[in-house]
Amino acid sequence: MSTPPRPIKAGNSRHGSIARSPFSTSYLSASPIAHESIERDLAECSDDEVETPDSPSSEDESSESSTIRPDALQHSFSNTYRRPSFVAFGGTRPAITPGPAEGKYLSKKEKKQSRNEERSLLRDNHLAPPKHPEPPKRSAFNRLYRRLFSTKISKRDEEAPPEPIFTAEPSETSALLGESARTHHERLNAQWEAAVAAGKIKTTWQREAKTLWGYSSPLVVTFILQYSLTVASIFTVGHLGKVELGAVSLASMTANITGYAIYQGLATSLDTLCAQAYGSGKRHLVGLQLQRMVCFLWVLTIPIGIIWLSAEKILEMIVPEKESAQFAGLYLRILLIGAPGYAAFESGKRFVQAQGLFSATTYVLLIAAPLNAFMNWLFVWQFKWGFVGAPVAVVVTDNLLPLLLFLYVRFVDGRQCWNGFTKRAFHNWGPMVKLALPGLLMVEAEFLAFEILTLASSYFGTTHLAAQSILSTLTALTFQIPFPISIAASTRVANLIGATLTDAAKTSAKVAMCAATIVGVFNVVLLSSMRFYIPQLFTNDQGVIDLVASVLPLCAAFQLFDALAANCNGLLRGLGRQEIGGWVNLFCYYVVAMPISFGTGFGLGWELYGLWSGVALALGLVAALEGFFIYRADWDQAVEDAQDRNAAG
């Protein structure tokens, strides 16, 4: 028997028709630092710079206005990945899956999506008239198809078929008094709340599978496109020789830790600043926050540049392979030219995501990723530039990304939040830096564990460093599928919990776990069955191919744990307990994995196999601990906690 829904706590009165949208942000939190920053910026603005909200021209526009009072959002819908710092994350495989930004304001598209989801669930539960009338007779095949894949609740599961609680639209005979004063969206909100309070909203595995696919498929494309920027260089340079292949891995490690992770970590503060500026109706401040972050990151490029220019000497003191260190230093010196462009893109994608324009980065990558692969081939092999051609292709791509994003904003969408360049971009950096530092520490922790393995592998020789480059690339590439699924699971579970639909959230979590298991098994089979062929795509060196083929079964074996661990992290974020996942990951990687990796790799002489043994055990432990916590979690308490956080926000 399903648990009866807990009553929705009373909140502030509605301000506009979207105030009672069905799905609430399950771990909503306001940022005092962001409010402080916005207040300071407003104090510096002249009266003619502050825009006034446009008068709504229609009922629908009124409901979809992006200027929303915070107290009206007690139960508002928000995707938990609507401002994700990790969409188009790039770099190598993270050790600690980052949590989503906690936005509290909705774009027009999100509000429309909320209402559509609400109507669809009501129809599936036979509480609203069907979208299309039922045909009088169906074929046997059609009946079988609907039985297997229909998202509707089977009426046989109900003791008595429920009566529809509303009609979709008022008819000509509907009462005018009272009804005419309520908008269609307000009626929908009231009807949804009545259904939830009565415990009539349920879901099916078919609906959750469909929703999971809809959420995750575009993210998978985006992740793979972004990571292909890294794969292209390794794939192209690998055929030059094992020294060059190892050097690319060494250079990428240094660039990630000392540069890219800093840019990504600090830019996460825009997930809060831009989102709250946009949601509170101060659109001109969204562009101001973008300018401020770009200037800040460009200033930081100076010390980063000093490190990259000196990387050859630094690496020669750390790694025993001097030739690899020299090639890595050359790679980083060229890569420095693209650092400002990379910083601008990391800031720019938060600018468009704050406006709900998530497809912008995907469109940009659809152009840049294939072009990057072509340039790698062209520069390295056709122009005969050799090793130098790879970083040149990366530089061109890094500078092309912000340019393409600018063209999207200028000619497609997002321009409304740009108010021109201003000197205020050089003021009020304090709140931005305070918000940025935690993000920096998180991203650095994500990168560091796997980069340590790359550094350690160099002590076994050039062949091992080259093999490590291939192995880390492959495991990172396979991770680009379960990780977006975990984001989708986080989204769905958080939305259902925010809507007080505990049973539906559990069903969604079970479907997500099944999907993660399927993906994990697929990765296991793929890597293990192709272990002698995949390395040949990256290098012609037989010694590197044999070494990769010998270690790849271990990497294949932990793919299932990898997928389950990623999914458990997503479910914990959806439950609003993302701190559990953070601490478990930190413990397993730095307390368990690193000692085992170094002990078996160096102490027992297992070398590369030993380094990856620690990672495999850590992933299994992460999946077990987080899975046990999710199994024992009080989902009803998670609903109450979500309501408390929303009320506090």
Side-chain angles (χ1 to χ4, degrees):
M1 181 178 295
S2 61
T3 304
R6 295 175 183 263
I8 300 175
K9 295 183 180 181
N12 297 318
S13 60
R14 283 203 293 260
H15 298 270
S17 59
I18 60 94
R20 286 285 188 179
S21 295
F23 301 121
S24 72
T25 308
S26 67
Y27 42 93
L28 186 66
S29 67
S31 172
I33 299 177
H35 286 305
E36 174 191 352
S37 177
I38 292 174
E39 291 300 325
R40 288 185 184 179
D41 290 332
L42 289 175
E44 294 180 0
C45 292
S46 58
D47 293 338
D48 58 346
E49 288 180 302
V50 181
E51 69 274 14
T52 57
D54 297 331
S55 299
S57 57
S58 69
E59 173 187 297
D60 191 59
E61 288 179 6
S62 176
S63 69
E64 292 185 355
S65 172
S66 61
T67 304
I68 306 168
R69 290 181 57 172
D71 59 353
L73 289 168
Q74 177 134 358
H75 295 282
S76 64
F77 165 77
S78 176
N79 286 337
T80 56
Y81 65 87
R82 61 173 304 266
R83 273 171 284 278
S85 60
F86 43 81
V87 169
F89 196 72
T92 57
R93 185 189 183 290
I96 305 169
T97 52
E102 299 175 357
K104 62 183 293 185
Y105 298 104
L106 311 180
S107 67
K108 294 180 180 180
K109 182 178 179 180
E110 288 168 329
K111 297 167 199 170
K112 183 177 180 180
Q113 180 184 356
S114 170
R115 289 191 293 270
N116 290 340
E117 179 73 9
E118 182 180 85
R119 293 188 188 97
S120 184
L121 275 170
L122 288 170
R123 292 186 183 113
D124 281 357
N125 285 271
H126 311 288
L127 301 174
K131 187 175 184 180
H132 304 289
E134 292 285 336
K137 189 175 182 180
R138 292 184 181 273
S139 65
F141 175 79
N142 190 275
R143 289 196 300 271
L144 177 63
Y145 178 85
R146 287 179 60 83
R147 182 175 180 82
L148 292 176
F149 301 107
S150 174
T151 61
K152 291 185 178 298
I153 301 294
S154 175
K155 291 185 179 181
R156 287 179 296 182
D157 296 338
E158 303 285 345
E159 295 180 359
E163 295 293 331
I165 61 174
F166 78 98
T167 56
E169 298 289 347
S171 65
E172 293 180 359
T173 59
S174 299
L176 296 178
L177 292 177
E179 187 70 26
S180 60
R182 303 174 64 193
T183 67
H184 173 66
H185 301 317
E186 287 174 329
R187 290 196 308 273
L188 189 62
N189 291 333
Q191 292 148 1
W192 171 266
E193 291 170 11
V196 172
K200 294 182 178 181
I201 300 297
K202 298 180 181 179
T203 188
T204 61
W205 71 264
Q206 293 96 332
R207 164 168 283 280
E208 296 312 309
K210 179 181 178 182
T211 302
L212 194 68
W213 170 262
Y215 282 1
S216 62
S217 53
L219 289 178
V220 170
V221 173
T222 303
F223 273 62
I224 292 178
L225 285 173
Q226 177 80 12
Y227 193 68
S228 70
L229 303 180
T230 300
V231 175
S233 294
I234 296 175
F235 186 85
T236 307
V237 171
H239 291 278
L240 293 174
K242 62 182 180 182
V243 175
E244 289 85 351
L245 179 58
V248 170
S249 181
L250 204 58
S252 298
M253 176 207 72
T254 307
N256 284 331
I257 295 177
T258 63
Y260 293 155
I262 295 175
Y263 290 144
Q264 291 180 9
L266 294 176
T268 56
S269 66
L270 292 185
D271 295 334
T272 300
L273 291 169
C274 286
Q276 292 202 350
Y278 179 80
S280 59
K282 312 300 188 296
R283 294 187 178 184
H284 66 292
L285 295 185
V286 181
L288 174 60
Q289 302 291 358
L290 168 65
Q291 294 180 56
R292 185 173 289 147
M293 178 57 70
V294 170
C295 292
F296 179 46
L297 295 182
W298 282 355
V299 169
L300 287 180
T301 302
I302 297 175
I304 291 173
I306 294 175
I307 295 175
W308 287 10
L309 291 174
S310 308
E312 179 179 336
K313 295 181 180 179
I314 297 174
L315 290 174
E316 284 181 347
M317 293 185 294
I318 299 176
V319 301
E321 298 297 330
K322 305 304 179 186
E323 190 176 4
S324 295
Q326 292 171 1
F327 273 113
L330 174 62
Y331 192 101
L332 288 169
R333 288 196 296 272
I334 299 173
L335 202 65
L336 180 59
I337 304 174
Y342 185 91
F345 178 68
E346 281 299 312
S347 304
K349 72 184 183 186
R350 270 83 176 181
F351 172 79
V352 293
Q353 287 169 1
Q355 303 174 59
L357 305 175
F358 302 105
S359 58
T361 50
T362 303
Y363 294 144
V364 167
L365 289 168
L366 282 171
I367 299 174
L371 189 58
N372 175 71
F374 172 74
M375 287 189 296
N376 270 276
W377 170 81
L378 182 69
F379 296 161
V380 173
W381 295 105
Q382 296 303 305
F383 289 176
K384 307 296 183 182
W385 291 358
F387 181 82
V388 173
V392 170
V394 174
V395 166
V396 175
T397 303
D398 283 346
N399 287 303
L400 183 64
L401 287 171
L403 177 61
L404 291 175
L405 194 59
F406 166 78
L407 294 176
Y408 181 93
V409 172
R410 175 64 176 81
F411 295 104
V412 181
D413 199 2
R415 189 181 179 186
Q416 59 272 17
C417 287
W418 180 257
N419 206 34
F421 294 98
T422 172
K423 294 180 180 179
R424 292 198 306 278
F426 299 99
H427 303 161
N428 197 20
W429 284 19
M432 177 184 67
V433 174
K434 290 180 183 178
L435 280 173
L437 288 179
L440 171 61
L441 295 176
M442 181 193 72
V443 175
E444 285 286 359
E446 291 161 15
F447 280 97
L448 190 58
F450 279 88
E451 306 301 8
I452 289 175
L453 297 183
T454 298
L455 189 62
S457 66
S458 66
Y459 284 84
F460 300 133
T462 304
T463 300
H464 290 76
L465 179 60
Q468 169 66 18
S469 178
I470 296 175
L471 291 169
S472 61
T473 300
L474 289 175
T475 55
L477 189 59
T478 56
F479 188 71
Q480 308 310 312
I481 302 177
F483 186 36
I485 293 176
S486 76
I487 298 172
S490 172
T491 298
R492 186 61 173 173
V493 169
N495 291 343
L496 292 172
I497 285 178
T500 71
L501 303 177
T502 308
D503 291 334
K506 291 180 180 179
T507 301
S508 183
K510 292 175 183 177
V511 171
M513 292 299 291
C514 291
T517 302
I518 293 172
V519 170
V521 171
F522 172 78
N523 287 338
V524 170
V525 174
L526 178 66
L527 293 184
S528 58
S529 62
M530 302 291 290
R531 65 191 183 101
F532 292 106
Y533 303 100
I534 294 177
Q536 299 178 27
L537 300 175
F538 291 87
T539 182
N540 299 324
D541 189 280
Q542 191 60 42
V544 176
I545 293 174
D546 293 340
L547 183 56
V548 172
S550 66
V551 182
L552 202 52
L554 175 61
C555 295
F558 69 66
Q559 291 300 308
L560 178 59
F561 297 142
D562 203 8
L564 291 175
N567 188 70
C568 287
N569 271 284
L571 295 179
L572 287 173
R573 293 195 300 270
L575 285 166
R577 299 303 305 273
Q578 57 269 36
E579 75 281 358
I580 298 294
W583 286 113
V584 168
N585 276 272
L586 282 172
F587 172 80
C588 291
Y589 276 99
Y590 289 98
V591 178
V592 177
M594 290 298 103
I596 293 177
S597 292
F598 281 93
T600 55
F602 291 94
L604 299 181
W606 293 4
E607 297 183 336
L608 209 57
Y609 197 90
L611 292 182
W612 283 97
S613 296
V615 175
L617 290 174
L619 284 169
L621 188 59
V622 168
L625 291 176
E626 294 184 350
F628 177 76
F629 182 87
I630 292 171
Y631 176 76
R632 297 296 300 272
D634 186 343
W635 291 66
D636 291 318
Q637 184 61 45
V639 169
E640 290 191 352
D641 292 342
Q643 292 173 338
D644 291 340
R645 281 189 290 270
N646 292 345

